[in-house]
């Protein structure tokens, strides 16, 4: 079953906002140590990073180039999560906004 990436992103942001309101140092600490979402195999990281990439005007080709680096570093798992990242990118750009 295909994940509803847009619904997931909205749910995730709402929950992270609650965490940030209660413990702002947690979110600040995360920002300091944030890693590559694909190699961490973290859907929440992927949807967050894809949203930021789209907002900054990243294209699909730029995303694939970046995923190539992750695949080189983390082989098979990164390849599988790269596919999930492209699914999230497609869902995000089909919903509207820059990055197409």
């Amino acid at each position: 079953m295909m994940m509803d990436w847009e619904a997931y992103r909205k749910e995730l942001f709402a929950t992270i906002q609650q965490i940030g309101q209660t413990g702002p140092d947690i979110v600040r600490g995360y920002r300091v140590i944030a890693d590559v979402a694909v190699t961490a195999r973290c859907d929440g990281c992927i949807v967050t990073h894809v949203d930021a990439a789209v907002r900054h005007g990243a294209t699909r080709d730029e995303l694939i180039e970046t995923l190539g680096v992750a695949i080189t570093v983390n082989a098979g798992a990164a390849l599988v999560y790269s596919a999930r990242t492209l699914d999230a990118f497609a869902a995000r750009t089909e919903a509207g906004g820059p990055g197409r």
Side-chain angles (χ1 to χ4, degrees), residues 17 34-36 39 41 45 47 55-56 58 66 76 78 89 93-94 96:
Q17 184 178 25
D35 206 326
V36 178
T39 61
R41 295 178 299 281
C45 301
V47 77
R55 284 187 286 111
H56 287 92
T66 302
F89 184 82
T93 56
E94 288 168 9

Side-chain angles (χ1 to χ4, degrees), residues 2 4 11 18 32 48 64 75:
M2 178 81 141
D4 183 342
E11 282 179 31
Q18 292 172 2
V32 171
T48 301
I64 290 172

Side-chain angles (χ1 to χ4, degrees), residues 6-44:
E6 278 301 298
Y8 179 63
R9 182 180 65 83
K10 289 175 185 173
E11 282 179 31
L12 182 66
F13 285 2
T15 303
I16 290 172
Q17 184 178 25
Q18 292 172 2
I19 292 169
Q21 289 169 345
T22 303
D25 289 340
I26 295 170
V27 176
R28 274 195 292 278
Y30 158 77
R31 287 183 181 142
V32 171
I33 62 168
D35 206 326
V36 178
V38 173
T39 61
R41 295 178 299 281
C42 168
D43 286 337

Side-chain angles (χ1 to χ4, degrees), residues 30-81:
Y30 158 77
R31 287 183 181 142
V32 171
I33 62 168
D35 206 326
V36 178
V38 173
T39 61
R41 295 178 299 281
C42 168
D43 286 337
C45 301
I46 288 170
V47 77
T48 301
H49 291 214
V50 164
D51 184 64
V54 169
R55 284 187 286 111
H56 287 92
T59 66
R60 187 174 189 276
D61 287 345
E62 290 169 330
L63 183 62
I64 290 172
E65 183 177 337
T66 302
L67 293 171
V69 174
I71 292 165
T72 300
V73 171
N74 200 15
L79 181 58
V80 170
Y81 275 79

